[in-house]
Amino acid sequence: MDSQIRKIHQLLVDKKITCTQLVQEKLEALKPNTHNTVNALLDELALTLAAKVDTKIANGKAIGILEGIPFGIKDVYMVQGTYTTASSDLLKKYKSAYTATAIQKLLDAGAIPLVKENCDSFGHGSSSENTIFGAVKNAINPNLVGGGSSGGSAVNVAKDYTVFSIGGDTGGSIRQPAGYNNVYGLKPTYGRVSRYGLMAYASSTDCVGPIAKSIEDIRIVLNVISGQDGKDQTSYSSDIIAEDSLLHTESIKTVGYFKNFIESEAIDVKIKSDFLTTIEKIKAKGITVKALDFFESNTLVSTYYTLAMAETASNLSRLDGTNYGNRIEAEDLKETYAITRSENFSEETKRRIVGGNQVLSQGFSDEIYLKGLNLRDQISENFEHDFKEVDIIISPVTPNTPPKIGDSLKDPLAMYLSDAYTVGFSLGQLPTLTIPQGTDTGLQITAAKTNDELVLKFANFLKETI
């Protein structure tokens, strides 16, 4: 199977390149920052770790598969001693006091962190324009958005600035930018990877996941970062996914798709046509394809943003400049809190905090928030029913192609609706992978909870099929 990680590993083992040379090349490629993907280079740390890998190889010691492999980190993950800004004014001078579990596992495996990557501030956005570091530019067409909120991570992988990157997905924030930049992006089953050390946006759907250029690289990284963590009670133990297992797809007999996604007036004509062509290619392989009923896009988006805004209002209430953050002093403590938050939070973040506080407020919570929770339960029940009928669900990643930089900021509602095909799987807490095939912004492959392996299997099948 194709794998940049394996190719680089072999070059290091055969001493055809040194880890220091590799890291220096990647750092030099990142420094111009022409696509606004870089919040901070970790050059000193990266070169120090690279030298250790080179010494180990020179001494004839074996190295692990990820040892010496350069990677990027979305700037919402703690890495001890580095700036973790969340692309916000509030945290632009904040240094992490500890390291996120997923990142620590990669460091323990010998991977080399190169860069903290640009993203929508606190993950609030679908275009990576809501950032103090400038809008991330699409890897294919720099006049278009890079996607969000993990835009910098997806673009860095697409441009080969990093071998893989660790993004964060709440409502599509790995899958959508992966689709916009023609790379692979996985949102694992909720809880498969510890969230400890990831800045919380919406805790009930936040997921840690990899972005890479091949299914095999996704598998390798997923195996390393997965596992139960005492610091995250939602995490669980999971089996290693073996490389050979992805070759066996005989168990996949039936594939489903949501007909209302494809029949929607909002979908781009070419994306619809390409998706239907993909369906026919799957049928030609002897697999049964079923059209499924699902909630309307407006219901999915409304449910997701009701719950996500409520959770982000709660999670960001701690950011008032007292314990951390860019504090702005005023006449009294109450005014200090107000000015610190109003001046340092972006317009989009303030919009989500205000919306979240509204749906949680007395007189509204029963009518809005509790209704959102009830709809989320109905969505999960719908998925349980669907996966009794089909093995896999596929869908377009987005209803439309990437907008031009600036357009999303003018129309927040249109930005929210760009998540119409991703948020449902987030609410269901299901494993979902974007693959760079099938439509101009890729395809999503989804399986039942904890069945991440089946998602990767079908992706491998489709690589040869479409």
Side-chain angles (χ1 to χ4, degrees):
M1 294 174 67
D2 292 339
S3 169
Q4 280 191 309
I5 290 173
R6 291 196 179 281
K7 287 175 184 175
I8 292 170
H9 173 76
Q10 200 58 51
L11 290 171
L12 290 169
V13 169
D14 293 342
K15 299 182 181 179
K16 292 182 178 178
I17 59 169
T18 68
C19 188
T20 298
Q21 288 171 338
L22 174 65
V23 166
Q24 284 177 330
E25 286 174 9
K26 297 292 185 187
L27 289 171
E28 287 303 315
L30 284 162
K31 279 178 184 176
N33 199 17
T34 53
H35 284 72
N36 289 339
T37 60
V38 178
N39 286 3
L41 285 178
L42 308 180
D43 43 2
E44 188 175 332
L45 173 61
L47 289 168
T48 299
L49 294 175
K52 291 180 180 179
V53 174
D54 286 335
T55 299
K56 191 171 180 180
I57 293 170
N59 290 336
K61 295 180 180 177
I63 60 169
I65 189 64
L66 277 181
E67 216 159 340
I69 304 298
F71 74 103
I73 304 166
K74 183 179 180 179
D75 199 11
V76 290
Y77 288 95
M78 303 297 170
V79 180
Q80 188 174 20
T82 71
Y83 286 105
T84 303
T85 73
S87 296
S88 69
D89 274 319
L90 189 70
L91 296 177
K92 62 186 176 184
K93 296 180 181 177
Y94 175 70
K95 278 194 174 182
S96 307
Y98 63 98
T99 299
T101 295
I103 306 303
Q104 189 60 56
K105 286 186 174 186
L106 291 167
L107 295 175
D108 292 344
I112 310 285
L114 294 182
V115 56
K116 299 298 282 291
E117 296 167 321
N118 199 1
C119 57
D120 283 304
S121 183
F122 295 104
H124 298 160
S126 304
S127 64
S128 292
E129 294 173 280
N130 176 35
T131 162
I132 63 170
F133 296 101
V136 173
K137 298 177 182 179
N138 189 282
I140 301 156
N141 181 349
N143 294 315
L144 307 180
V145 301
S149 59
S150 307
S153 302
V155 172
N156 278 341
V157 170
K159 299 293 290 184
D160 289 318
Y161 299 152
T162 61
V163 178
F164 68 91
S165 286
I166 299 299
D169 193 306
T170 305
S173 295
I174 285 174
R175 290 163 286 154
Q176 186 245 47
Y180 279 1
N181 294 282
N182 288 345
V183 292
Y184 291 89
L186 175 68
K187 183 196 85 65
T189 299
Y190 178 80
R192 186 184 181 101
V193 183
S194 171
R195 292 178 292 112
Y196 180 74
L198 164 64
M199 285 189 196
Y201 165 16
S203 303
S204 66
T205 55
D206 286 344
C207 289
V208 179
I211 299 171
K213 277 195 162 181
S214 73
I215 300 161
E216 175 64 357
D217 288 348
I218 293 285
R219 183 194 70 84
I220 290 169
V221 176
L222 180 64
N223 279 340
V224 171
I225 62 177
S226 296
Q228 193 167 19
D229 178 16
K231 296 170 183 173
D232 176 5
Q233 293 185 353
T234 64
S235 63
Y236 65 90
S237 296
S238 54
D239 294 332
I240 292 291
I241 300 173
E243 181 182 3
D244 290 349
S245 70
L246 302 191
L247 304 175
H248 304 292
T249 57
E250 307 83 22
S251 62
I252 302 171
K253 310 277 187 195
T254 311
V255 171
Y257 72 95
F258 296 131
K259 60 185 177 184
N260 60 304
F261 281 11
I262 307 308
E263 293 169 357
S264 168
E265 293 181 1
I267 192 170
D268 176 86
V269 173
K270 188 172 186 301
I271 288 178
K272 176 178 180 177
S273 173
D274 289 347
F275 182 81
L276 293 174
T277 298
T278 296
I279 291 290
E280 293 306 314
K281 289 179 180 179
I282 292 170
K283 287 180 180 178
K285 291 292 184 178
I287 293 175
T288 301
V289 177
K290 289 187 177 182
L292 303 170
D293 294 318
F294 199 45
F295 293 80
E296 292 300 319
S297 296
N298 285 345
T299 301
L300 295 170
V301 172
S302 298
T303 302
Y304 168 75
Y305 276 102
T306 294
L307 300 179
M309 286 183 178
E311 291 185 38
T312 202
S314 176
N315 281 326
L316 293 188
S317 64
R318 72 195 77 172
L319 295 181
D320 56 20
T322 301
N323 293 317
Y324 33 68
N326 183 32
R327 183 183 179 96
I328 300 174
E329 295 290 347
E331 291 181 6
D332 56 47
L333 188 59
K334 185 177 180 181
E335 188 67 14
T336 294
Y337 290 161
I339 291 178
T340 294
R341 287 167 66 82
S342 64
E343 293 296 321
N344 284 307
F345 282 138
S346 70
E347 291 304 310
E348 182 59 36
T349 294
K350 285 187 281 189
R351 185 180 294 117
R352 296 187 187 206
I353 290 172
V354 169
N357 285 328
Q358 176 79 359
V359 303
L360 291 173
S361 63
Q362 189 173 6
F364 289 92
S365 60
D366 287 355
E367 186 176 341
I368 303 175
Y369 181 65
L370 294 183
K371 185 178 180 181
L373 291 176
N374 180 261
L375 278 166
R376 182 175 67 183
D377 290 342
Q378 291 180 43
I379 289 165
S380 293
E381 289 170 8
N382 198 108
F383 281 126
E384 287 179 14
H385 172 76
D386 287 341
F387 284 116
K388 290 176 182 175
E389 295 190 19
V390 301
D391 302 306
I392 288 286
I393 294 173
I394 64 169
S395 69
V397 179
T398 61
N400 291 290
T401 52
K404 290 181 179 179
I405 290 174
D407 287 357
S408 296
L409 297 179
K410 297 173 190 172
D411 190 351
L413 181 58
M415 180 181 70
Y416 298 158
L417 290 173
S418 72
D419 297 334
Y421 295 171
T422 56
V423 293
F425 304 118
S426 296
L427 292 167
Q429 301 185 335
L430 305 176
T432 308
L433 174 72
T434 288
I435 64 170
Q437 294 171 274
T439 79
D440 285 347
T441 57
L443 288 177
Q444 281 183 113
I445 301 171
T446 305
K449 279 185 182 179
T450 73
N451 220 340
D452 303 60
E453 181 175 318
L454 195 64
V455 168
L456 298 182
K457 280 184 178 184
F458 195 64
N460 194 50
F461 169 80
L462 288 185
K463 189 160 66 76
E464 307 301 329
T465 302
I466 60 173

